[in-house]
Each structure stands twice: as C-alpha cells, then as structure tokens.
Amino acid sequence: MTRWSVAFGAIASREVLRFVHQRERFLAALVRPLVWLLVFAAGFRAALGLAITPPYQTYIPYETYILPGLCGMILLFNGMQSSLSLVYDRETGSMRLLLTAPLPRGFLLFAKLCGATFIGILQVYAFLGIAAAFGVDAPAWGYLAVLPALVLAGLMLGALGLALSSFIKQLENFAGVMNFVIFPMFFLSSALYPLWKMAESSRLLHDICLANPFTHAVELIRFALYLQWNGWALLWTGLATVAFMALALWGYDPARGLVRRKG
Amino acid sequence: MSLSVQELSFSYGAKRALDAVSFEAAPGRFTALLGPNGAGKSTLFSLLTGLFVAPLGRIVVAGHDMASAPRAALAAMGVVFQQPTLDLDLSVRQNLRYFAALHGLSARVADARIDAALDRLDMRERAGEKARALNGGHRRRTELARALLHEPRVLLLDEPTVGLDAAARAAITVHVHDLAAGGLTVLWATHLTDEVLPDDDLILLHRGKIEAAGRAGDLHGAMPLKDWFLTRTGEPA
C-alpha cells in the first residue's frame, strides 16, 4: 500500500468509527425519514393523486413517490452532520492534526468526504430495507443500480457540507445552516412533490426547484432505483459536486487561512 | 540549521501579528520561544505548520522550503499543538495509529513504533483505554509520543504545558530537554519562564517582533529570567 492509500484508509475509517460510536446518530438518521414515510406520507396519500410520470409506469402511491426523496434527505442530513463535525474538529484542534499531514490538502479533505459519503449510503440502505419491510419497495435490481447514484449524490451533499464548514465560524452558527440550507434545499425540490405539480401552483417556485441541485440528486436516485437513465440529472449533480468541491478547496486554502479566524 | 525562519511577516487585516521575524533553531538544542500572550507565538506556529501561508518571508524545515516543498517540510516536523488534539472516543492506540497512517506508516511499522513509544511512557498497558480515561499529563505525553512516531527532525511545541499540574509540567519539560539532548531540534513556545534553562537557546518574541535572541543564561545574566522577561516586555510572566 502506498502512503496515500494508508492515509486515505485511516481518514475514511475514522469517520466510520466515529459514526459507530454515535448510535443515537444512526437511530436519528433512520427515524427522521421513517416518520415521513410512515406518518406524513400516509396522511398525504389521500390528498395527493399522482399521475403516471417517468420513471414510473403505473399509478403509484405517495409513499413510493417520496422514497427516493427520503434517501436524498438522509444524504442531505448526513452531509450537514459531517459539516458539523468538521466545525467541531476545527474547534477541538483535530483539524490541525489532519491538515498538517504531509499530503495535499485537497486529498485529505476528499478522503474525509468519502468516509462521510460511505456512512450516508449505509444509512440509506438501512432505510430502504426497513421501508421494504413495510411494503414500500422498488425493483430488486434497482437496489444495486441506485448505488452509483447514491455515491454521487452523497459526494455532492458532503462537498456542500465541507464548503459550508469552511465558512461557519462557530458551532453555534449551525442552526442557521439548518434554516437556510437544509430546509430550503429539501422543500424546494422534487423530493416531496413532482415538479409539474409545483408548476401548477407557481411557475417561479417550479423554476427554483429546477435549479436546485438537490432536485437533480433526488431524480438521479429515483431513476436509478427504477433502472432508468437520467443523463440530465447526472450531469447537473456531477457539475454541482465539482462546484461544491472547488468551493470547499477555496474555503480551506491555507493562503486564505482556515484557522486564521480562530488564531 | 534544521529550522530557519527569515523575515517572516504576517497581518490579520490591518493588524500586524508578526513583523520581519528571523531566527534559527539548531539540532540538539532546546530553543525556547518566550513571549507574553498575544506576542504572535500561535500565529508563528500556524505559519510554521502550514495552516496558513505567509505572503512575506521564508520558512525552511530540515532543508525543505515551506513554500515550495510544504509536504517534505511537514514530513520532517513533529507538532504538539496548544489545543488537545486526541480523539477522546478512540483508544490511545487508535489515536496513535491514525496519526501514523496520516504520515503514511504501514500498520506493521506503526505498531512496532507505537509499542516502543508506549513502553517509554510506561503506558503500554493503557493502550486499549479510551483517551478520555487519561489524565491531562498522560494525554499530553501521548500527544508528544504521537508527534515523534514518524521520526521527525524538528519538534515544535506550542505551549504544551497549558492546563497541566506542576508535576506533569516539570516532567514533560524535562522529557523534551532530554529529546533535544538526543539530537532533535526543539522549538518550544511558552510564556512561562521556569520552563527555560540557562543553557537553552532563547528567542524573546514581543508584539510580533524578536526582542532578543541568544543563550538564555547570557541574555538574563545575573538577573532571574522572570525579572529579565518582565523588564523586557513590561508584562508579568
């Protein structure tokens, strides 16, 4: 093994180890989407009739519609959670330890991002398993086909968290991230309602949803879960991943001074 | 020289934190960087460890220029930060392994060095305990052992005795003096004069500038170091 792969393995597995130590976090990560799936969706099932729209080939119950959106929600929360842990790392000093390792900073951050994405994907599969046990399922091969989509969506949302963490000065500001990033990103997307439904009520909101990279991450997951290709969603999610990663690298640029604000 | 700093300047916006700082630290010497709070010690350490980059000046670590070869410079450097950097939820061994891997040491090499380091600290039997279970002194010693795992030529310590009781402070100060005597280049930042011995090299940093540099005993002469420090900085040590 080269020194790069040794370091990559250590950084990524530390993220996983940290997650394993936080059982409550795993529980919370599962309870949140399950409440949406089993309570919220049950209530809205009667109110929302969903016409046939790709990738679905038949009328579908609302639970089936929001399943991919809730996978996206898990990855979104996971991305923000890892952002929170990065801010915490910076305050405790373990970020200094990481950034003084003799490897390129972009590589160190990417390794951390991969660890966080892996954790997110584990949570998604646990959620999909429980959902299937409750009868909300997808084609069998879809569970495999969705993996690359989950990896890309996880990287995109993790990179967003990474970028945000470089701009959040203190842990206390994290509530602002919830209000100004997670909620708008989730609600202004196709996670809970199809975009054509949104267009019926407001053209502007529809356009905002369409520009939201989270919409495309959810659509990428949705199509992959039903074994269909969505090149546009793939392109948009990929571009957003690159943009967020570039923003994160800029945020952590030593010439800008990551810890400068902390002295 | 193992560590050479030339004409290093740095500002936080309009506030000058370091002003044309130049000094050298030699192998086998304990070089104390003494300065009151706010003198610029932590800024200097952030620059030395590449956490941020100085627009002016030059840092050379074991022959590697921090600007053109930062990774080689970092590989030659061991650092004990002022803030605790152990992951309290990981065991002592896991903490050490994580660091060794960051420096590219294979598990086999790392484990052998970790065992040796823990034996030196009489902590082998505590390797499996979580870092949270260690007292402040042991945590610091673990961090010091960790900083030496990749066998650096230069050891940087930023106020490493902060928060320790008198016995732990004395023990770690003696230990690092021994390391310097063994050939390591040591730069030890502090505001506590009793950590500096008369034979140490001393750099006095005040308001971002080097006020004095030389052998400690030569600088303060017959006057106690504490009093000399007070007269030079006008602040209590």
Side-chain angles (χ1 to χ4, degrees):
Chain A
M1 282 208 290
T2 68
R3 49 185 297 164
W4 291 58
S5 59
V6 169
F8 184 91
I11 298 166
S13 59
R14 180 172 178 264
E15 290 295 302
V16 176
L17 209 58
R18 183 143 71 170
F19 179 71
V20 172
H21 286 150
Q22 301 173 334
R23 287 191 197 89
E24 314 79 37
R25 186 175 149 196
F26 189 55
L27 207 63
L30 285 181
V31 166
R32 198 180 300 117
L34 284 172
V35 166
W36 280 83
L37 187 71
L38 303 175
V39 181
F40 179 86
F44 273 75
R45 184 178 203 169
L48 287 167
L50 293 180
I52 302 170
T53 173
Y56 308 107
Q57 283 153 5
T58 170
Y59 282 99
I60 46 154
Y62 187 58
E63 289 94 325
T64 304
Y65 179 79
I66 64 168
L67 192 67
L70 295 178
C71 294
M73 180 202 227
I74 294 173
L75 295 175
L76 177 63
F77 268 90
N78 186 67
M80 296 309 124
Q81 183 90 38
S82 58
S83 153
L84 175 76
S85 77
L86 283 160
V87 177
Y88 179 75
D89 274 1
R90 207 172 62 210
E91 293 206 339
T92 57
S94 64
M95 181 62 93
R96 285 168 186 256
L97 193 72
L98 178 72
L99 295 182
T100 50
L103 288 164
R105 190 164 284 203
F107 173 78
L108 296 169
L109 294 174
F110 183 70
K112 221 166 159 52
L113 179 60
C114 288
T117 304
F118 177 74
I119 295 163
I121 291 172
L122 280 186
Q123 295 169 34
V124 169
Y125 274 108
F127 166 70
L128 285 173
I130 298 173
F134 280 96
V136 187
D137 55 6
W141 283 106
Y143 290 103
L144 185 64
V146 79
L147 180 60
L150 292 176
V151 170
L152 187 60
L155 287 176
M156 180 191 92
L157 294 165
L160 173 65
L162 201 58
L164 286 173
S165 72
S166 70
F167 298 107
I168 300 171
K169 288 179 187 154
Q170 290 166 331
L171 223 46
E172 290 75 30
N173 299 352
F174 200 72
V177 175
M178 291 287 288
N179 285 332
F180 293 106
V181 178
I182 294 188
F183 291 145
M185 219 169 178
F186 183 63
F187 289 113
L188 287 170
S189 78
S190 60
L192 297 179
Y193 13 76
L195 289 191
W196 61 265
K197 264 270 199 244
M198 191 61 124
E200 282 175 2
S201 54
S202 163
R203 195 73 223 169
L204 176 67
L205 283 180
H206 167 269
D207 291 346
I208 295 174
C209 291
L210 201 59
N212 180 359
F214 185 68
T215 294
H216 299 281
V218 169
E219 291 309 302
L220 188 68
I221 294 169
R222 190 189 309 284
F223 276 70
L225 199 56
Y226 287 86
L227 298 162
Q228 290 193 36
W229 175 256
N230 188 335
W232 180 244
L234 177 66
L235 177 72
W236 199 249
T237 313
L239 284 177
T241 308
V242 173
F244 291 149
M245 196 65 209
L247 192 64
L249 284 180
W250 182 73
Y252 279 91
D253 181 357
R256 267 191 76 248
L258 155 73
V259 276
R260 186 178 292 190
R261 292 167 296 241
K262 295 293 292 175
Chain B
M1 285 296 161
S2 291
L3 175 66
S4 161
V5 172
Q6 294 154 25
E7 296 292 316
L8 198 64
S9 294
F10 192 81
S11 302
Y12 296 99
K15 187 176 174 289
R16 195 81 153 166
L18 290 177
D19 192 3
V21 167
S22 299
F23 67 87
E24 291 188 326
R29 299 290 299 160
F30 183 103
T31 305
L33 179 73
L34 186 65
N37 291 330
K41 300 190 295 293
S42 289
T43 302
L44 178 61
F45 265 74
S46 292
L47 293 168
L48 289 175
T49 53
L51 286 172
F52 39 91
V53 171
L56 294 171
R58 188 159 181 249
I59 298 166
V60 181
V61 183
H64 306 289
D65 191 313
M66 199 67 196
S68 57
R71 299 208 287 277
L74 286 172
M77 173 195 303
V79 189
V80 177
F81 294 101
Q82 190 176 342
Q83 296 160 294
T85 54
L86 290 178
D87 188 328
L88 300 181
D89 291 321
L90 297 186
S91 71
V92 171
R93 183 178 293 279
Q94 282 171 328
N95 265 294
L96 295 174
R97 269 191 188 149
Y98 172 65
F99 177 85
L102 284 183
H103 281 261
L105 299 182
S106 71
R108 198 172 45 82
V109 175
D111 271 342
R113 290 195 194 172
I114 289 167
D115 286 343
L118 291 176
D119 280 341
R120 278 197 298 275
L121 295 176
D122 276 334
M123 282 178 63
R124 180 84 169 261
E125 72 286 357
R126 305 193 67 176
E129 284 183 35
K130 286 199 172 176
R132 195 180 295 283
L134 302 181
N135 65 30
H138 277 114
R139 285 184 196 177
R140 267 300 177 205
R141 295 191 72 147
T142 306
E143 286 184 314
L144 182 57
R146 183 179 63 179
L148 297 170
L149 278 181
H150 58 299
E151 298 177 343
R153 288 170 61 188
V154 179
L155 179 64
L156 306 176
L157 307 101
D158 186 10
E159 306 207 14
T161 58
V162 164
L164 299 186
D165 62 29
R169 204 155 72 80
I172 205 159
T173 310
V174 169
H175 182 50
V176 175
H177 274 92
D178 289 345
L179 289 171
L184 201 62
T185 304
V186 171
L187 182 70
W188 172 290
T190 185
H191 63 275
L192 301 168
T193 49
D194 61 349
E195 292 173 356
V196 185
L197 303 179
D199 192 42
D200 293 339
D201 288 334
L202 177 65
I203 299 161
L204 180 64
L205 188 69
H206 185 44
R207 293 187 180 138
K209 288 184 179 171
I210 302 241
E211 288 283 329
R215 203 181 138 272
D218 296 341
L219 289 174
H220 64 82
M223 192 190 278
L225 177 59
K226 187 176 177 180
D227 295 343
W228 177 82
F229 179 60
L230 266 171
T231 56
R232 296 300 295 255
T233 62
E235 293 177 40

